[in-house]
Amino acid sequence: MNRERLLAQAFLALSDTYAAEFDPLHLFHRLVHACHDLLDVDAAAVMIADARGDLRTMASTDEDATFAELMQLQNGRGPCMDCYRTGEPVSVPDITVDRERWPQLVAAMAGSGFGSLQAIPVRLQDRPLGALTLLRRPSGRLPSDDLHVAQALADSAALALMHWSSEPVRADDVITRVQSAIASKATLEIAKGMVAQYADVTVGEAARLLTAYASGRRVRLTETVHALVDRRMPPAAVVEAQRIR
């Protein structure tokens, strides 16, 4: 399948907000994986600001704990926080140049094998909501065409947050929806831990099991993780469902 068709499918997936199974957690998952598949990047993550202005990782292409720590280092300071605060893209073509500015981030990126970073604002009109992080192993700037595509994908995701309900909304309602999505992500992390502990698997494998369970039953991932955390469904249900298939 050529890149133009893949792009069309990616934008359609991000804009299909009226589907019965639409879930904001899936929205962020689709965003980072579209970037990974379509752009010259090795990893991607999207971070959204909570009510205090701290950035929370909503989805990433790598579920490894080391990668999660790499993203967490940008909560207080770093190119992603700068991107969120200014609402403008931030390019770091060679992370080693900024060793004095962001020593912990540089060390973490080097340890993970990444040499460059591009932060793209996730914004609704002029209101910044967070940042899309694009990581590459070699140093160098992201190609300009990829930069424009990444911004368009991020803008589409922000619009989807505004329009994922058929009920009329005001501009300020997106903030409530963002905070609701952040709360759902926190619940997802608890559910992943429950499944990982029960099945004795990695957190990444637990995430795959949860996604497969929700997809197989055509229910929202949010509903699945809340059922687990609220003890209305045991972790065994998620694990056994995959063994049966």
Side-chain angles (χ1 to χ4, degrees), residues 112-180:
S112 298
F114 296 112
S116 57
L117 179 151
Q118 175 70 53
I120 303 290
V122 179
R123 59 197 178 197
L124 184 64
Q125 297 175 346
D126 293 329
R127 173 177 289 174
L129 303 177
L132 173 64
T133 306
L134 305 174
L135 295 161
R136 303 173 71 232
R137 298 200 180 280
S139 59
R141 294 185 180 276
L142 189 69
S144 59
D145 286 347
D146 282 5
L147 183 62
H148 289 302
V149 170
Q151 186 64 72
L153 290 168
D155 290 345
S156 294
L159 285 172
L161 278 177
M162 188 65 174
H163 298 296
W164 66 271
S165 170
S166 59
E167 299 177 2
V169 294
R170 301 166 300 171
D172 289 341
D173 289 342
V174 72
I175 302 303
T176 301
R177 292 183 175 176
V178 166
Q179 299 311 313
S180 176

Side-chain angles (χ1 to χ4, degrees), residues 47-143:
M47 306 178 78
I48 298 296
D50 63 16
R52 297 187 303 176
D54 294 330
L55 292 176
R56 306 294 181 187
T57 303
M58 301 301 296
S60 67
T61 55
D62 190 336
E63 293 282 351
D64 184 83
T66 302
F67 189 82
E69 293 173 5
L70 172 59
M71 291 298 100
Q72 188 61 30
L73 285 174
Q74 298 197 65
N75 187 21
R77 56 182 301 187
C80 289
M81 180 58 78
D82 289 351
C83 176
Y84 163 64
R85 287 172 174 163
T86 64
E88 297 294 333
V90 175
S91 179
V92 185
D94 184 352
I95 192 63
T96 61
V97 174
D98 293 292
R99 191 177 302 277
E100 292 186 6
R101 187 179 182 187
W102 302 311
Q104 290 182 309
L105 176 62
V106 172
M109 284 186 61
S112 298
F114 296 112
S116 57
L117 179 151
Q118 175 70 53
I120 303 290
V122 179
R123 59 197 178 197
L124 184 64
Q125 297 175 346
D126 293 329
R127 173 177 289 174
L129 303 177
L132 173 64
T133 306
L134 305 174
L135 295 161
R136 303 173 71 232
R137 298 200 180 280
S139 59
R141 294 185 180 276
L142 189 69

